[in-house]
Amino acid sequence: VAALGIVFGDIGTSPLYAFRQAALAAPDQLEASVLGVLSLVVWAIVLSVAVKYVGLVLRLDNDGEGGILALATLLKLHRRDLNPPRLLVAVALIGAAMLFGDGVITPAISVLSAIEGLELVAPHLDAWVVPLTVAVLVVLYASQRFGTERIGALFGPIMLLWFAAIAVLGAVAIVGNPAVLAAANPAYGIALLVSHPFHAGVILSAVFLAITGGEALYADLGAFGRPVIARAWFAVAMPALLLNYFGQGALILATPSALANPFYLLAPQVLQLPLVILATAATVIASQAVITGVFSLAYQAIETGFLVPLRVTHTAAENESHVYLPAVNIALALLSIATVLHFASSSALANAYGLAVATAMITTTILFVAASIALKRWSAPVAVLVGVALMTLDIAFFTSNLGKFELGGWLPITLAGAALLSMLAWRHGTGVLLADIDRRARPLPEAARRLAKEPTTIHRTVIFLTRSAAALPTALGRLEDLFGIRFDRAVVVSVRVASRPRIAPENRLRVKTVDDGVLSIELVVGYMQDVNLPSLIAPALRDAGIDPNLVIYAIGYERALAPHRIASIGDVLAVLFVFLQRNGARAADRFSLPPKRTIEVGYQLTFDPPVHKAATGPS
């Protein structure tokens, strides 16, 4: 039930607008066109959602975690040291960026389409549609801090009621006109496209609205797992959706004027206001499905080094996939509200919907095939054959949505472009920093032996954070060079993010004595795990005779400075990286270090030509 409240909200509320837009896209509303559109909707749901996502893609998880970046980590695309194929890295980043763009559009169109039902129930309230939509969105985003678990428990029963209601409404209409069931034959859909080739793109782009939200099933995999999502889909969501779409088709065949709003006109007039209220609640849930997916995606991007570190709050002790990112939430809220104010109707906003999702679906297919081959789930010929079949469907929807670009499709693409540029800038800039650190690095064993010969000046144990367990930490080197400080005992800690979402406690720590006064600890965590550094390394410190409550933490900080002039795309990325670095979360906050026992020591790095050229390769 909780899965219904989180995962299926987006696709579950598509009947509010999808069939109407698809039927309006047909050149006429004759019986053949209505049955053809309905046939396309039905088979899009079956092939793209039931077969592709639930049947195939959901089976390829990274220790239970799903989403475009879960596929990227399965392929180890975040590991710079392995020199991953640049093309696949680009595909992963583009797919992730497109889902960020979709996260802005979905709440806007979902809530707006529901509240537009007021125009049927009380036409004099049509001026209140946009203000009420904005108010609902404000409440929705303000509630995110309470966490996925609480929201899902509240929304699940409402979504169950929603699916039951739309199924009953559809079934009643089907009983009144059972001839509509002929649309289950795919020949009707094919005949419609063949007979109207110049309208095929517009029709398919509208049909695509019925399956947007299918990607949320994969993005939210970690929150509930495949068995739960599959049962909820095949037992509840899919049957209810198909019944409602057939019901809308039956209604239009019997009463062509019902095309004005076939979803709400399925209900008797006395039930239309309660249906508007229920639809509004359901569309809030639809928005929740995407928002939850965006939070999970952003968190994975941060931990795998694709996105600037941001403050993350874990909202469920028993599930580390339930996260809340305040900065992302605020950005989504402002952009969604601005979108509603700009487009002002679901029909206009439908033109902005689809292109980003269609692009994300293509990238999912590419990475799915690559991961299936890399992990030897299938032989290469079988994987390619499956990929071609899935890609044929994806490309058909993608090309059909290209015509929407000037009408509104530019919006999600622009938003996705901004997200992609941010990820590229962060990956480029961190690559430059790492290359510079490697250039300056001194081997830890050699430095430890030299430090052991010098007299101690500070009789406290200090923990130095470093990116590499084999190199002298930046903070330690700077304190030694500038002030001649020698510590009684130094502990060098490096944190490495694994390609798996979670690492068991017994496999997290690797402890090594480098010298009498230097201890090396390598901490390995999953990309979906919270890193409370003091608590994670405390057992190793106690085993070494060190009191965890008395140690000092020292962090090396490389402060990047923008290049003096902009002469290339690399310089543009460098400027954006500097901005992101200065506004991102600090290491002390990310690792939950005690503020009163933590110091930062670092140096400045300028993206001037010599450093820039030397470091461009690894980025």
Side-chain angles (χ1 to χ4, degrees):
V1 173
L4 286 176
I6 297 297
V7 180
F8 296 98
D10 186 2
I11 195 169
T13 52
S14 295
L16 280 164
Y17 51 83
F19 189 76
R20 178 187 63 193
Q21 294 300 127
L24 287 172
D28 54 60
Q29 278 70 56
L30 300 176
E31 181 177 343
S33 293
V34 173
L35 292 178
V37 166
L38 180 57
S39 178
L40 291 172
V41 169
V42 168
W43 283 99
I45 291 173
V46 170
L47 295 177
S48 186
V49 183
V51 174
K52 176 183 174 179
Y53 277 99
V54 180
L56 296 175
V57 177
L58 260 65
R59 295 181 184 276
L60 193 61
D61 63 276
N62 192 344
D63 280 357
E65 208 60 48
I68 193 82
L69 291 183
L71 288 175
T73 53
L74 276 174
L75 291 165
K76 295 181 171 56
L77 300 182
H78 65 299
R79 293 281 301 276
R80 299 174 189 271
D81 55 321
L82 299 179
N83 292 318
R86 291 178 180 268
L87 179 60
L88 287 182
V89 173
V91 167
L93 292 180
I94 290 171
M98 292 300 164
L99 292 178
F100 282 124
D102 177 47
V104 171
I105 306 295
T106 295
I109 191 173
S110 299
V111 177
L112 188 56
S113 62
I115 295 182
E116 282 175 344
L118 285 175
E119 296 174 349
L120 287 177
V121 178
H124 61 283
L125 294 178
D126 61 340
W128 286 90
V129 169
V130 170
L132 286 174
T133 300
V134 171
V136 170
L137 288 174
V138 169
V139 172
L140 170 67
Y141 285 106
S143 68
Q144 293 305 310
R145 67 182 186 276
F146 297 115
T148 302
E149 194 72 24
R150 293 181 181 178
I151 294 173
L154 173 65
F155 284 171
I158 297 174
M159 206 65 200
L160 186 60
L161 177 61
W162 166 259
F163 280 121
I166 67 173
V168 170
L169 291 173
V172 170
I174 293 170
V175 170
N177 192 357
V180 74
L181 294 174
N185 184 348
Y188 282 96
I190 296 172
L192 176 64
L193 297 178
V194 171
S195 60
H196 301 285
F198 296 108
H199 292 84
V202 179
I203 294 171
L204 283 177
S205 68
V207 167
F208 185 70
L209 296 174
I211 60 172
T212 54
E215 73 286 350
L217 275 66
Y218 193 39
D220 290 328
L221 180 63
F224 298 100
R226 183 187 178 277
V228 171
I229 293 176
R231 286 198 300 270
W233 170 252
F234 287 113
V236 181
M238 183 177 175
L241 289 171
L242 293 180
L243 283 171
N244 192 264
Y245 282 125
F246 274 111
Q248 290 189 46
L251 176 64
I252 294 173
L253 288 177
T255 312
S257 61
L259 186 58
N261 201 322
F263 176 81
Y264 282 112
L265 291 175
L266 279 175
Q269 188 171 2
V270 69
L271 294 179
Q272 286 179 359
L273 181 57
L275 187 59
V276 170
I277 296 172
L278 180 59
T280 302
T283 52
V284 168
I285 297 166
S287 307
Q288 183 61 49
V290 175
I291 294 169
T292 301
V294 170
F295 285 164
S296 179
L297 181 70
Y299 183 50
Q300 292 181 41
I302 290 169
E303 293 305 312
T304 51
F306 289 121
L307 192 63
V308 57
L310 300 169
R311 186 163 68 88
V312 178
T313 301
H314 289 263
T315 58
E318 65 280 1
N319 193 327
E320 295 180 39
S321 298
H322 292 182
V323 293
Y324 166 63
L325 289 81
V328 174
N329 190 54
I330 292 172
L332 290 177
L334 294 176
L335 291 170
S336 292
I337 291 171
T339 299
V340 170
L341 295 175
H342 177 76
F343 287 92
S345 75
S346 62
S347 294
L349 194 48
N351 291 319
Y353 201 35
L355 187 54
V357 182
T359 306
M361 287 184 172
I362 289 177
T363 61
T364 297
T365 298
I366 294 172
L367 295 182
F368 170 74
V369 172
S372 297
I373 295 173
L375 299 175
K376 299 182 179 179
R377 298 287 182 93
W378 293 334
S379 64
V382 172
V384 171
L385 186 63
V386 172
V388 169
L390 297 178
M391 189 65 77
T392 301
L393 186 64
D394 292 338
I395 290 178
F397 285 127
F398 172 76
T399 53
S400 67
N401 276 283
L402 285 176
K404 290 182 175 182
F405 185 83
E406 292 185 0
L407 299 175
W410 56 268
L411 176 61
I413 296 300
T414 301
L415 296 172
L420 177 60
L421 188 61
S422 297
M423 290 189 286
L424 288 173
W426 186 253
R427 189 165 174 83
H428 171 81
T430 51
V432 172
L433 286 183
L434 290 174
D436 186 67
I437 291 171
D438 289 343
R439 182 173 60 83
R440 297 170 180 263
R442 288 175 277 175
L444 181 60
E446 176 186 325
R449 285 193 297 270
R450 190 182 70 255
L451 289 172
K453 298 176 182 178
E454 301 292 338
T456 300
T457 57
I458 294 182
H459 299 281
R460 292 283 295 273
T461 299
V462 181
I463 296 179
F464 294 93
L465 271 64
T466 179
R467 288 183 172 88
S468 172
L472 182 71
T474 300
L476 180 55
R478 296 290 285 174
L479 290 173
E480 178 196 359
D481 294 340
L482 295 176
F483 304 109
I485 294 177
R486 306 289 184 270
F487 296 93
D488 184 42
R489 197 167 189 188
V491 180
V492 177
V493 178
S494 64
V495 180
R496 182 171 66 84
V497 178
S499 300
R500 295 163 53 194
R502 295 167 190 85
I503 300 295
E506 61 272 16
N507 298 324
R508 289 177 187 163
L509 293 176
R510 299 172 186 174
V511 183
K512 178 183 178 183
T513 301
V514 181
D515 197 89
D516 292 339
V518 179
L519 184 70
S520 173
I521 300 177
E522 183 179 5
L523 174 63
V524 183
V525 296
Y527 62 82
M528 290 300 291
Q529 286 181 308
D530 193 14
V531 182
N532 187 313
L533 190 69
S535 64
L536 290 175
I537 66 173
L541 295 178
R542 292 192 184 97
D543 290 344
I546 300 171
D547 188 344
N549 298 315
L550 297 179
V551 297
I552 299 170
Y553 291 88
I555 304 172
Y557 178 65
E558 301 82 23
R559 183 173 181 266
L561 300 177
H564 294 25
R565 61 188 182 90
I566 308 299
S568 66
I569 185 63
D571 294 328
V572 174
L573 294 177
V575 171
L576 182 54
F577 171 78
V578 170
F579 172 79
L580 293 173
Q581 188 195 44
R582 293 184 183 180
N583 289 276
R586 309 298 287 264
D589 298 324
R590 290 185 63 209
F591 297 144
S592 302
L593 302 183
K596 294 182 179 180
R597 290 188 285 121
T598 301
I599 60 173
E600 287 186 332
V601 182
Y603 66 94
Q604 293 183 345
L605 168 68
T606 303
F607 282 80
D608 49 22
V611 175
H612 187 276
K613 291 178 180 178
T616 302
S619 68

